[in-house]
Amino acid sequence: MKKLAVTLIVLIILAQYPLWYGKGSWLNVYEIDQQLASQRQTNQKLQNRNTVLEAEVNNLKRGLDAIEELARNELGMIQADEVFFQIMESNEENNSQIERQ
């Protein structure tokens, strides 16, 4: 009877091994579930970024205001009837600020 009990326990352990450590085990499923959650989060961030970029492209295609804003900010362009002022700090102010730090 003792041999039968030991044999059954060994068989149960052998039957449980693939469930816990084999291919498709609980641990493997848990790891894949964590990877899936991480990938979904990454996909959501990228989808939000794509939506913003798509809106910007549509705005550039349809509206002149967005093109004008980009030209002013990135290229420093001004209109014919505008005056451009550039304010620069003097070297004395820069030196005094550096010395304070």
Side-chain angles (χ1 to χ4, degrees), residues 75-94:
L75 302 176
M77 299 179 82
I78 59 172
Q79 292 182 351
D81 59 344
E82 293 180 330
V83 178
F84 178 71
F85 293 97
Q86 184 175 8
I87 301 172
M88 299 179 69
E89 294 181 13
S90 67
N91 286 337
E92 293 175 9
E93 289 176 350
N94 288 338

Side-chain angles (χ1 to χ4, degrees), residues 5-20:
V6 171
T7 305
L8 288 176
I9 290 174
V10 169
L11 288 176
I12 289 173
I13 291 173
L14 290 175
Q16 291 288 317
Y17 180 80
L19 180 67
W20 293 101

Side-chain angles (χ1 to χ4, degrees), residues 4-84:
L4 180 64
V6 171
T7 305
L8 288 176
I9 290 174
V10 169
L11 288 176
I12 289 173
I13 291 173
L14 290 175
Q16 291 288 317
Y17 180 80
L19 180 67
W20 293 101
Y21 301 108
K23 185 176 180 180
S25 66
W26 289 108
L27 298 175
N28 193 7
V29 170
Y30 178 75
E31 288 175 7
I32 291 173
D33 190 44
Q34 294 298 317
Q35 291 173 357
L36 180 64
S38 174
Q39 188 63 48
R40 283 185 176 156
Q41 189 176 31
T42 302
N43 288 350
Q44 184 62 42
K45 288 177 184 177
L46 292 173
Q47 183 64 39
N48 292 342
R49 181 175 154 237
N50 287 347
T51 303
V52 169
L53 290 174
E54 184 179 356
E56 186 176 343
V57 167
N58 287 335
N59 195 13
L60 288 171
K61 285 182 179 178
R62 292 195 179 103
L64 294 176
D65 292 337
I67 295 172
E68 181 180 344
E69 180 182 348
L70 282 174
R72 287 175 183 270
N73 290 336
E74 293 183 9
L75 302 176
M77 299 179 82
I78 59 172
Q79 292 182 351
D81 59 344
E82 293 180 330
V83 178
F84 178 71

